[in-house]
Amino acid sequence: MACIFCKIAREEIPAQIVYHDELATAFRDINPKAPVHILVIPNQHLTSLHDAVGEDHQTLVGHLLQVCAQIAEQEKIAQDGYRVVTNIGRNAGQSVDHLHFHVLGGRPMHWPPG
Ligand code: AMP
């Protein structure tokens, strides 16, 4: 499959991986928008969070969110606060069609997002 995040999860192309288990992989974003910017992905291909709706994926989505929180601890951004974001589809600006949660921290952030 040509999906770049599938290749990262299979360690077929280089990435700065900070966490990996049988369900999930986390790695540094190549174009960081904050001092800490990690992407948390399922190892299996799902196009977006919308694709993961339904009982089959409840455990997986819960696990991915747990990994996000664990990464925030690991990267020492939890105490000051951080943001977890997933973009779904064109209007939200999703540019890679493999479900990913952005974990962003290390600076104050604005709300609402642009
Ligand atoms: P989104 O726009 O929500 O789909 O986010 C996709 C993110 O993937 C962007 O922040 C990109 O900088 C990041 N990205 C794309 N290719 C790579 C890569 N090979 N390694 C790490 N991050 C990547």
Side-chain angles (χ1 to χ4, degrees), residues 56-97:
D56 284 359
H57 300 302
Q58 273 184 14
T59 304
L60 175 61
V61 171
H63 180 68
L64 293 170
L65 290 172
Q66 293 270 1
V67 171
C68 289
Q70 192 176 315
I71 294 295
E73 283 291 328
Q74 194 175 303
E75 296 289 323
K76 303 192 187 327
I77 55 172
Q79 194 172 356
D80 287 338
Y82 61 100
R83 189 169 286 172
V84 176
V85 177
T86 189
N87 294 317
I88 300 165
R90 199 181 328 124
N91 269 2
Q94 183 176 4
S95 61
V96 177
D97 288 337

Side-chain angles (χ1 to χ4, degrees), residues 4-5 27-31 39 87 93-96 100 102:
I4 193 162
F5 285 2
F27 53 96
R28 296 195 191 280
D29 195 293
I30 206 167
N31 182 17
L39 301 175
N87 294 317
Q94 183 176 4
S95 61
V96 177
H100 50 283
H102 298 257

